[in-house]
Amino acid sequence: MSVAILGILIAACIALRVPIAFAILGPCLVYMWTNDQSVGFAMRTGAGGVNSWPLLAVPLFILVGFLATRAGIAERVFALVLALFGKFRGALGYVNIGVSLGFSWMNGSALADAAGVGSIEIPHMVKKGYPQRFAVGLTAASSVIGPIMPPSIPAVVFASVALVSTSALFAASVVPALLICVTLAIYVFIWARRHDDIPNESFAWAQVRRTALGGLGALIAPVIILGGILEGFFTPTEAAAVGAVYMLLLGFLYRSLKLGDLPKVFADTATTTAAIMVILGASSLLGWILAREGVPRAMAETFLGFTDSKVVFLILVNILLLILGAIIEPTSALVISVPVLLPVATQVGVDPVHFGVIVVLNLMIGLMTPPIGGVLFVLSSVTKTPVAEVFRGVAPFLIPLLVTLLLITFIPQIALWLPELLGL
């Protein structure tokens, strides 16, 4: 079997809505069988792809997210941010962004942010007179902050596939995540100027004091997780374990988490982790096949034959990844595209860490676009709104996200400044 037929079979399986892991694994096993490679070797290759110390951070960060959600951390962060910024016009828009930023330190998943935070914010915004389209669209856009700001599950996967430092990639993601917050806040500011009928929230120091204990306890998490990584106290994997223990203790301290909740939390963590690891294993086997067939080298020659311009290459990569992110689940898109595109990126002078931030942001924007658009389906479920209507609300917010993407793409120091400062 040729690699072209392999690609056609994978594309056909994806088009038939076969689960992505099996859409990749099935054709790969057929390739191995028809090319005199044993199934045992195929299984060892796939298993070797997930037998990685950095990837151990994935289930631990997933556990941190489930513990934070179960312990009601998002509600506490929401109450604190609302108390602080409620007096501004369009306050709930800024609160929406702020809560996603705060929650992102504990959860590296856009889908978890959209489900957990969205279920709190959207009803509250609609009740206060905000249009549902605006509330849904902003919630979807701000959910992108979670997978960009460390700890980020896609960043861990990219670092493992690309063999770059997870700590450096985490550091490189901080300023881009804050830039997303800024561009979304500018959009909210402009929108609020045109809607004088949106009421302000009341502000009182008594309310700030009441919400401070619950909110600040949650906001210490980034100090422990990211601070420990950047200061060299923990590896990202160790920081994930420490973060999980902290969330567990915080939940018990707030009495919002009980021992009886833990079996469900652990089961959800195991289920989510298993789904990601099966995809990674299947994609590792695909990566071995592509390397055997010389696809990365051929792609590099094709790209460099078309252009040796760094700018043109980055434009083409952004277009390709936005399309890929719209039709393939992000983890699969990462492990399929990175081995092919990274060698070309390094040849035209793109820093691998900078490239990682670009790839992750592109694929996260893909979560907001049809036909796959995981965030769209999550918010459709949360709000009981048709997916098409959700996308109508999301579409305007693609503008600030794409502006951010262009800034990060063509001004590398936005991403590379902090890792260079920290010597990572």
Side-chain angles (χ1 to χ4, degrees):
M1 176 193 284
S2 69
V3 71
I5 295 175
L6 173 66
I8 292 170
L9 288 176
I10 292 174
C13 289
I14 293 173
L16 293 172
R17 308 303 294 270
V18 175
I20 190 70
F22 301 106
I24 296 172
L25 183 59
C28 285
L29 290 177
V30 174
Y31 171 93
M32 299 295 280
W33 176 64
T34 57
N35 287 274
D36 299 323
Q37 300 290 333
S38 70
V39 174
F41 175 75
M43 292 297 100
R44 289 193 299 274
T45 302
V50 298
N51 185 18
S52 164
W53 169 255
L55 284 180
L56 184 58
V58 172
L60 292 171
F61 281 132
I62 291 171
L63 177 59
V64 170
F66 277 117
L67 287 171
T69 301
R70 191 69 179 181
I73 300 300
E75 290 92 332
R76 295 175 184 275
V77 174
F78 177 79
L80 175 59
V81 177
L82 180 60
L84 289 171
F85 298 103
K87 65 178 181 179
F88 298 103
R89 182 186 295 177
L92 290 183
Y94 302 116
V95 169
N96 190 310
I97 299 166
V99 173
S100 288
L101 175 62
F103 196 58
S104 70
W105 298 101
M106 296 159 271
N107 192 349
S109 167
L111 299 184
D113 184 286
V117 178
S119 63
I120 303 164
E121 293 173 337
I122 294 173
H124 193 84
M125 293 179 74
V126 172
K127 182 180 178 181
K128 291 293 183 176
Y130 288 75
Q132 178 155 320
R133 280 188 183 179
F134 177 82
V136 170
L138 180 57
T139 301
S142 62
S143 72
V144 173
I145 299 167
I148 304 299
M149 181 68 79
S152 163
I153 294 171
V156 173
V157 174
F158 178 92
S160 177
V161 173
L163 301 178
V164 301
S165 166
T166 306
S167 298
L169 192 53
F170 275 8
S173 302
V174 172
V175 176
L178 296 176
L179 183 58
I180 293 172
C181 296
V182 171
T183 55
L184 290 177
I186 291 172
Y187 183 95
V188 171
F189 176 83
I190 295 171
W191 181 89
R193 296 304 95 183
R194 298 176 178 176
H195 293 79
D196 296 334
D197 56 326
I198 298 299
N200 296 341
E201 301 292 311
S202 60
F203 177 83
W205 282 111
Q207 182 67 12
V208 174
R209 288 193 295 270
R210 279 195 297 271
T211 58
L213 179 61
L216 291 177
L219 295 179
I220 291 174
V223 178
I224 296 173
I225 296 174
L226 187 59
I229 294 171
L230 299 183
E231 290 297 325
F233 296 125
F234 316 126
T235 66
T237 303
E238 292 165 346
V242 171
V245 172
Y246 178 76
M247 278 299 140
L248 192 64
L249 294 176
L250 200 63
F252 288 145
L253 177 65
Y254 289 153
R255 297 184 179 179
S256 54
L257 187 67
K258 301 179 178 59
L259 285 174
D261 296 328
L262 295 184
K264 179 69 164 58
V265 168
F266 292 143
D268 289 343
T269 301
T271 301
T272 304
T273 301
I276 292 174
M277 292 304 174
V278 171
I279 292 171
L280 287 175
S283 300
S284 296
L285 178 57
L286 176 60
W288 182 88
I289 293 172
L290 294 178
R292 181 178 186 265
E293 294 285 344
V295 173
R297 184 180 66 254
M299 286 292 293
E301 292 172 353
T302 301
F303 264 108
L304 295 175
F306 177 73
T307 179
D308 59 358
S309 167
K310 178 179 175 180
V311 172
V312 174
F313 169 76
L314 288 174
I315 292 172
L316 293 175
V317 164
N318 278 322
I319 295 171
L320 175 63
L321 290 174
L322 286 171
I323 295 171
L324 197 62
I327 60 177
I328 300 180
E329 187 272 336
T331 303
S332 302
L334 269 172
V335 286
I336 291 172
S337 63
V338 171
V340 175
L341 296 176
L342 184 59
V344 191
T346 55
Q347 286 192 53
V348 299
V350 181
D351 185 279
V353 173
H354 176 221
F355 188 66
V357 178
I358 293 171
V359 171
V360 172
L361 180 52
N362 269 292
L363 297 179
M364 294 308 108
I365 293 175
L367 285 174
M368 298 169 54
T369 55
I372 302 300
V375 167
L376 301 180
F377 287 94
V378 167
L379 290 176
S380 174
S381 176
V382 167
T383 62
K384 304 294 187 277
T385 304
V387 173
E389 184 67 17
V390 172
F391 181 66
R392 290 190 187 96
V394 168
F397 290 93
L398 293 175
I399 297 172
L401 291 178
L402 291 174
V403 168
T404 306
L405 175 61
L406 291 174
L407 290 173
I408 292 168
T409 298
F410 296 111
I411 309 177
Q413 285 306 115
I414 293 175
L416 298 178
W417 170 76
L418 188 56
E420 291 173 358
L421 180 67
L422 297 172
L424 296 174

